[in-house]
């Protein structure tokens, strides 16, 4: 069917590029290069769902038809795994992108072809009569795979089209099941069983824009071209609570998923008058929001009267109202907060912990149980925290506590984030796979070593739920063969000094145990004080002249230097990132004052002057140097006792900055002064005189 349909600018490659501009990598599947396979398949599927018989090649003769009252068409539709069905809910946002003046003309044409192909028939009906299904079927005799790609099956007014297949294996790779991905259209909306198949998964599909409006919009674009750009619209949408110029520009450009290439980013930068950094900041924040809600806001820019788009422009008022309804109550990091400089590893996790009631993994619990082949499953997967998301949330809170200046409004909500995380981790039925199952050295698994440490038998000991408790903080569960996996039970940890942490760290190594240490840090007082810290002044706590002025005076008197030099010395002693640019920002000093203070400090034996890669400064503490790679900043080895230095991420203290200054100075006063290690050698013996 439609084998000769080859419109200009209709190839799969071009269409995929055009739709990903809007939905990003939310659309996947197997696309067919320079062939318009997706468009051919869409047109053919639309025909058969409308009642026309499939007219492609006949079904495979060796594959039997379905039973239970189902019939099979004598022909097939073009088969293939392009993920276009998932575009249906986003047609309004795609239509809006087709009207943007900066859309590549070939991509605009590809979108119009898509609208033409979808416009007729049930695909764009927008009613609850269509669903995407994953149907499971056992192989035929002798393990042969049924050949059903492109088959069309009917039962009364109901039609099921099988688009492509995948093989699914169990954990032993010995038992195979065939999965068919297809579309199920039932005008009654009742659906139900499909022949002998098992309906493994299904999801409703409803087009967000009907066929008549798709046809109308395509005609208007072809007649009048794209809609004029309005800078005022950016400013109006940016004023929505929690929005900003970059996020508003991305939405108005029809890019709710952000940019994918350097050319995409250049479009946003040039059109909206933003810098690269601003665009990237907007992308970060936009992607931290739920995808479907973003698409809905972008779709709201298309007026109900399609033709009004060319008269009065996009419906910014509707988009702003939609934004406010969905995101107006969120605690958000505004676009002027430099998340990269702060060292926030995952903005989505960080904003989630600032809004715990909006996220199931923070606000709900779920039961976990051992399923087939030893897999641990959750009854409500959305309520199960991912360990990496948890640790990213802890890192995000710590980065905000360290980086936000005192007096910043966001500081007031940081303690609540820790409270929410602690409450979720206190769930006695929460088990996390933190990567602890495999030891750093040796062949014995972590589970085997924990059994020895806790006096458990070499095997067995399971409770009624199939899990074996190893102390209060660890749970073992069966895996492939006789192997066991080790899970963390965070409710069993007593704090960052719990002996269980040291025990497992000695088995898996400090790198693998970092996730465990971050989770345990939530239970300690250091992070609690850091999150609650806020001084009687407004500004960065990293300026010791404001956060610890008495300590600056003490250091100056003890070391015989001026107050400014003493302040710089404290920053070098205590902080992981005292670059020249940062010290200037923290103190607010003018260049001449900074230069004088640095020169005074450099004239002492307290520091050394040098040039070191990526250091961002010229003064250093004497002693070993940790030349860490990006994104981490290199720093002196003497300071590694103050924070968890991983070498993979920016180093962020878990202490209030004033305490950090005090601890560093107390360490110096106790005699542990930064210095190079002395190398002790034996004197060589004199050689014998030779006669």
């Amino acid at each position: 069917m439609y084998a000769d349909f080859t419109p200009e600018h209709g190839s799969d490659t071009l269409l995929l590029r055009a739709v990903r501009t809007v939905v990003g990598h939310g659309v996947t599947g197997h696309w067919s290069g320079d062939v318009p396979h997706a468009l051919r398949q869409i047109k053919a599927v639309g025909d058969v769902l409308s009642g026309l018989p499939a007219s492609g090649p006949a079904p495979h003769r060796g594959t039997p038809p379905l039973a239970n009252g189902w019939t099979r068409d004598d022909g097939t539709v073009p088969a293939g795994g392009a993920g276009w069905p998932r575009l249906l809910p986003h047609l309004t946002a795609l239509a809006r992108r087709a009207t943007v003046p900066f859309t590549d003309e070939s991509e605009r044409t590809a979108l119009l072809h898509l609208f033409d192909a979808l416009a007729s028939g049930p695909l764009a009906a927008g009613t609850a009569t269509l669903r995407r299904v994953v149907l499971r079927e056992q192989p035929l005799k002798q393990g042969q795979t049924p050949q059903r790609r492109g088959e069309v099956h009917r039962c009364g007014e109901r039609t099921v089209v099988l688009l492509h297949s995948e093989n699914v294996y169990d954990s032993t790779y010995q038992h195979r099941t065939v999965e068919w991905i297809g579309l199920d259209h039932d005008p009654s909306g009742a659906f139900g069983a499909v022949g002998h198949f098992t309906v493994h998964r299904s999801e409703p599909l409803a087009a967000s824009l009907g066929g008549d409006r798709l046809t109308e919009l395509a005609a208007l674009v072809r007649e009048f071209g794209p809609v004029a750009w309005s800078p005022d619209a950016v400013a109006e949408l940016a004023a929505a609570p929690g929005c900003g110029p970059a996020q508003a520009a991305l939405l108005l450009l029809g890019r709710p998923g952000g940019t994918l290439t350097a050319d995409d980013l250049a479009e946003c930068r040039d059109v909206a008058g933003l810098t690269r950094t601003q665009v990237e900041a907007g992308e970060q924040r936009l992607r931290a929001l739920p995808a479907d809600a973003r698409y809905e806001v972008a779709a709201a820019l298309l007026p109900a009267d399609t033709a009004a788009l060319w008269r009065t422009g996009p419906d910014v008022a509707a988009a702003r109202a939609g934004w406010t309804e969905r995101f107006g109550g969120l605690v958000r990091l505004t676009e002027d907060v430099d998340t990269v400089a702060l060292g926030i590893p995952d903005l989505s996790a960080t904003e989630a912990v600032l809004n715990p009631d909006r996220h199931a993994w923070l606000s709900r619990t779920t039961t976990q149980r051992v399923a087939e082949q030893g897999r641990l499953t959750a009854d409500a997967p959305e309520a199960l925290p991912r360990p990496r998301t948890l640790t990213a949330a802890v890192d995000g809170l710590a980065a905000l506590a360290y980086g936000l200046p005192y007096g910043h409004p966001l500081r007031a909500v940081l303690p609540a984030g820790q409270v929410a995380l602690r409450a979720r981790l206190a769930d006695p039925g929460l088990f996390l796979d933190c990567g602890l199952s495999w030891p750093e050295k040796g062949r014995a698994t972590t589970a085997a070593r924990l059994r020895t440490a806790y006096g458990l038998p070499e095997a067995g000991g399971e409770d009624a739920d199939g899990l074996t408790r190893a102390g209060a903080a660890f749970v073992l569960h069966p895996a492939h063969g006789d192997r066991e996996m080790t899970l963390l039970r965070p409710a069993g940890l007593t704090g960052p000094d719990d002996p269980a942490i040291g025990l497992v760290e000695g088995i898996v190594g400090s790198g693998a145990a970092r996730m465990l240490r971050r989770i345990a840090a939530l239970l300690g007082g250091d992070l609690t004080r850091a999150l609650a810290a806020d001084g009687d002044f407004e500004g960065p706590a990293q300026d010791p002249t404001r956060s610890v002025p008495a300590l600056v005076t003490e250091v100056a008197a003890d070391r015989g230097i001026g107050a400014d030099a003493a302040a710089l010395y404290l920053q070098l002693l205590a902080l992981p990132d005292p670059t020249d640019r940062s010290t200037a920002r923290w103190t607010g000093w003018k260049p001449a004052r900074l230069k004088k203070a640095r020169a005074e400090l450099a004239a002492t034996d307290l520091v050394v002057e040098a040039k070191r890669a990526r250091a961002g400064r010229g003064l250093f503490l004497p002693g070993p140097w940790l030349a860490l790679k990006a994104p981490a900043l290199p720093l002196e080895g003497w300071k590694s006792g103050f924070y968890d230095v991983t070498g993979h991420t920016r180093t962020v203290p878990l202490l209030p900055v004033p305490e950090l200054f005090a601890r560093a100075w107390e360490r110096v006063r106790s005699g542990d002064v930064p210095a190079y290690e002395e190398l002790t050698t034996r004197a060589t013996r004199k050689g014998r005189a030779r006669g």
Side-chain angles (χ1 to χ4, degrees):
M1 298 177 72
Y2 294 102
D4 297 329
F5 179 69
T6 311
E8 185 179 11
H9 304 312
S11 70
D12 277 16
T13 298
L14 195 55
L15 181 58
L16 179 62
R17 193 165 73 221
V19 298
R20 278 188 170 169
T21 298
V22 179
V23 300
H25 291 283
V27 58
T28 57
H30 307 287
W31 298 70
S32 302
D34 294 333
V35 179
H37 193 89
L39 291 175
R40 292 174 182 173
Q41 189 181 63
I42 292 169
K43 290 174 73 67
V45 169
D47 285 351
V48 298
L49 295 186
S50 298
L52 297 176
S55 58
H60 194 274
R61 288 183 297 177
T63 303
L66 307 189
N68 303 324
W70 288 81
T71 62
R72 181 172 62 183
D73 280 16
D74 294 334
T76 57
V77 300
W84 60 264
R86 286 204 165 110
L87 296 175
L88 296 178
H90 308 306
L91 284 178
T92 310
L94 289 165
R96 167 70 189 127
R97 175 63 185 175
T99 69
V100 172
F102 312 105
T103 301
D104 178 85
E105 288 303 325
S106 60
E107 293 181 16
R108 193 191 320 278
T109 302
L111 289 174
L112 298 183
H113 288 320
L114 174 67
F115 303 156
D116 292 340
L118 290 169
S120 62
L123 287 174
T127 57
T129 60
L130 184 69
R131 65 175 182 168
R132 179 182 181 271
V133 290
V134 178
L135 306 173
R136 285 192 167 180
E137 180 180 27
Q138 296 301 318
L140 302 175
K141 294 179 180 180
Q142 290 82 44
Q144 295 178 345
T145 301
Q147 303 297 316
R148 297 190 182 277
R149 287 161 54 94
E151 284 189 352
V152 178
H153 299 272
R154 304 183 191 271
C155 184
E157 293 187 345
R158 190 172 169 201
T159 305
V160 172
V161 185
L162 304 181
L163 302 177
H164 67 105
S165 66
E166 296 176 357
N167 288 325
V168 179
Y169 294 87
D170 67 7
S171 61
T172 66
Y173 286 91
Q174 296 176 358
H175 303 287
R176 177 167 58 91
T177 302
V178 183
E179 283 190 349
W180 295 101
I181 291 83
L183 295 177
D184 183 359
H185 176 242
D186 186 348
S188 72
F191 298 108
V194 182
H196 63 274
F197 292 115
T198 300
V199 180
H200 180 59
R201 287 193 307 274
S202 68
E203 59 182 278
L205 289 177
S208 62
L209 205 62
D212 292 344
R213 290 198 68 193
L214 286 173
T215 300
E216 179 188 13
L217 183 131
L220 288 168
V221 172
R222 289 181 173 115
E223 181 177 357
F224 299 111
V227 175
W229 177 256
S230 172
D232 292 341
V234 176
E236 183 181 350
L237 184 54
C243 194
Q247 293 170 89
L250 287 163
L251 289 168
L252 283 159
L253 285 167
R255 293 184 177 275
T259 64
L260 299 176
T261 67
D263 289 342
D264 294 346
L265 192 144
E267 174 192 305
C268 302
R269 186 187 61 217
D270 297 342
V271 168
L274 302 170
T275 66
R276 179 190 182 99
T277 301
Q278 287 174 314
V279 174
E280 290 174 342
E283 281 185 311
Q284 252 197 334
R285 283 153 181 79
L286 205 54
R287 287 172 176 163
L289 298 171
D292 287 346
R294 279 184 272 134
Y295 300 144
E296 289 167 1
V297 173
L301 289 164
L302 186 68
D305 176 4
T306 309
L309 189 59
W310 279 262
R311 298 192 302 269
T312 57
D315 193 345
V316 179
R320 182 171 171 172
W323 175 283
T324 303
E325 178 187 350
R326 292 164 179 79
F327 311 130
L330 294 178
V331 178
R332 302 209 68 208
L333 273 65
T334 54
E335 291 181 7
D336 60 337
V337 176
D338 190 342
T339 57
V340 176
L342 288 177
I344 293 175
D346 183 338
L347 183 64
S348 181
T350 303
E351 288 201 340
V353 80
L354 298 179
N355 302 275
D357 293 343
R358 298 286 194 106
H359 298 272
W361 65 271
L362 278 165
S363 59
R364 291 169 48 194
T365 61
T366 183
T367 300
Q368 294 170 262
R369 64 186 78 250
V370 179
E372 57 184 9
Q373 285 90 43
R375 292 184 300 109
L376 191 69
T377 62
D379 290 352
E382 69 279 4
L384 184 65
R386 294 181 180 180
R388 292 190 183 279
T389 303
L390 269 175
T391 54
V394 178
D395 287 340
L397 283 177
L400 291 173
Y402 175 68
L404 288 177
Y406 282 4
H408 193 288
L410 272 179
R411 296 197 72 92
V413 303
L414 300 184
Q418 183 188 25
V419 170
L421 284 170
R422 281 181 168 180
R424 185 65 188 93
L425 295 181
D427 173 14
L430 176 63
F431 312 121
L432 301 174
D433 185 355
C434 295
L436 305 177
S437 297
W438 311 111
E440 186 177 35
K441 297 178 181 178
R443 301 186 65 179
T445 63
T446 302
R449 299 183 190 195
L450 289 177
R451 281 181 174 275
T452 300
Y454 286 106
L456 298 174
E458 292 185 3
E462 299 91 349
D463 291 340
D465 57 6
L467 303 173
T468 303
R469 272 66 180 174
F474 302 109
V475 171
L476 315 179
H477 81 89
H480 179 56
D482 59 354
R483 299 275 187 174
E484 284 185 307
M485 302 293 287
T486 299
L487 306 176
L488 172 68
R489 180 177 171 269
L493 291 173
T494 59
D497 298 322
D498 192 311
I501 299 173
L503 171 64
V504 82
E505 191 170 18
I507 297 172
V508 302
S510 60
R514 180 181 181 272
M515 193 177 295
L516 176 61
R517 293 197 305 274
R518 268 299 186 256
I519 292 173
L522 275 172
L523 309 177
D526 288 352
L527 182 59
T528 301
R529 295 194 304 279
L531 294 171
D534 211 355
D536 55 0
F537 66 93
E538 292 188 359
Q542 289 87 343
D543 179 3
T545 64
R546 288 188 281 180
S547 59
V548 286
L551 189 60
V552 172
T553 301
E554 180 183 338
V555 172
D558 188 89
R559 298 296 151 172
I561 54 179
D564 286 357
L568 292 183
Y569 183 50
L570 278 172
Q571 289 174 330
L572 289 175
L573 281 175
L575 305 181
D577 52 350
T579 64
D580 290 346
R581 180 176 295 179
S582 293
T583 54
R585 176 167 49 85
W586 292 329
T587 60
W589 296 348
K590 293 182 178 180
R593 184 178 177 182
L594 277 167
K595 183 177 180 181
K596 181 180 178 182
R598 288 177 184 140
E600 181 183 355
L601 186 58
T604 70
D605 60 357
L606 301 175
V607 298
V608 295
E609 283 190 280
K611 290 184 178 180
R612 294 176 180 172
R614 298 186 56 253
R617 53 188 164 110
L619 297 181
F620 305 90
L621 301 178
W625 178 249
L626 305 179
L628 307 177
K629 296 181 179 180
L633 272 179
L635 76 162
E636 293 88 346
W638 185 84
K639 294 193 276 193
S640 61
F642 295 138
Y643 5 81
D644 188 5
V645 180
T646 67
H648 306 296
T649 58
R650 291 181 71 92
T651 301
V652 176
L654 298 180
L655 277 172
V657 174
E659 283 191 38
L660 203 54
F661 284 135
R663 287 195 186 186
W665 177 241
E666 182 58 33
R667 188 173 163 190
V668 170
R669 288 193 61 191
S670 67
D672 185 4
V673 180
Y676 292 102
E677 295 181 3
E678 293 186 9
L679 181 63
T680 303
T681 60
R682 279 190 314 176
T684 57
R685 294 168 56 187
K686 293 183 179 180
R688 295 180 179 178
R690 295 183 180 181

